[in-house]
Amino acid sequence: MLFISMASLPKIAPVIIDHAIRIIAILVAAYVAAKIVKKSVPTIRVQIIERMKKYGRADIELEKRAETLSGILRKAVVIAIWLLAIVMALKESGFDIGPLLAGAGVLGLAVGFGAQHLVRDLFAGLFILLENQIRVNDVAVINGTGALVA
């Protein structure tokens, strides 16, 4: 364990404050970046709609597809931003992130092998969305069971 004596506290306090300020700055930057991504989604949605108008589909269809694709993009980017910020904050606080990243890689490999059907279904679902077979707010009926796509 690390014990700090009262005599060494004045020497250590600036270092602790410096790291705390950097961690707060990392988390604030991640928050701002996530907000910027969320605010830029309508712009991305408009660009998606403009590109899809070349294929001559109805406006309601385009809006549903653009909402679906922009929602997936927004969530993926926001998750990546926050994961990166957490790893950076852990590194700044003194944790060795090498074993953490190696463990995450091994866990990802194990999940990839152990859940091949889940990963295959995930990619199949992504391609269903990209091929415009099912969109947000559609009612899908599969094997007699219907549900609203959210």
Side-chain angles (χ1 to χ4, degrees), residues 3-142:
F3 292 102
I4 300 172
S5 68
M6 293 304 282
S8 65
L9 190 59
K11 296 176 186 174
I12 297 175
V15 174
I16 293 173
I17 291 172
D18 183 45
H19 286 293
I21 290 172
R22 287 182 185 179
I23 291 171
I24 291 170
I26 289 168
L27 296 177
V28 167
Y31 178 78
V32 169
K35 286 294 182 184
I36 289 172
V37 167
K38 288 180 182 179
K39 294 286 184 186
S40 65
V41 167
T43 306
I44 294 170
R45 183 181 297 157
V46 168
Q47 290 176 358
I48 291 172
I49 290 172
E50 290 299 321
R51 289 180 188 225
M52 286 191 291
K53 279 186 180 178
K54 295 177 184 176
Y55 299 109
R57 294 195 176 108
D59 289 332
I60 296 171
E61 301 285 323
L62 288 175
E63 184 62 34
K64 284 183 177 181
R65 186 168 187 200
E67 182 180 345
T68 302
L69 295 177
S70 62
I72 290 171
L73 177 67
R74 184 190 81 232
K75 289 176 186 175
V77 171
V78 168
I79 287 171
I81 288 170
W82 279 109
L83 285 176
L84 182 64
I86 289 170
V87 169
M88 289 174 66
L90 285 174
K91 177 73 173 170
E92 187 62 36
S93 63
F95 287 100
D96 186 16
I97 61 169
L100 178 69
L101 295 176
V106 170
L107 181 67
L109 188 64
V111 168
F113 281 128
Q116 287 180 356
H117 293 289
L118 179 66
V119 173
R120 187 175 2 162
D121 290 343
L122 178 72
F123 282 117
L126 183 63
F127 283 115
I128 285 172
L129 292 174
L130 290 175
E131 291 173 355
N132 201 23
Q133 294 176 5
I134 298 175
R135 293 172 300 276
V136 173
N137 295 328
D138 283 349
V139 176
V141 179
I142 300 172

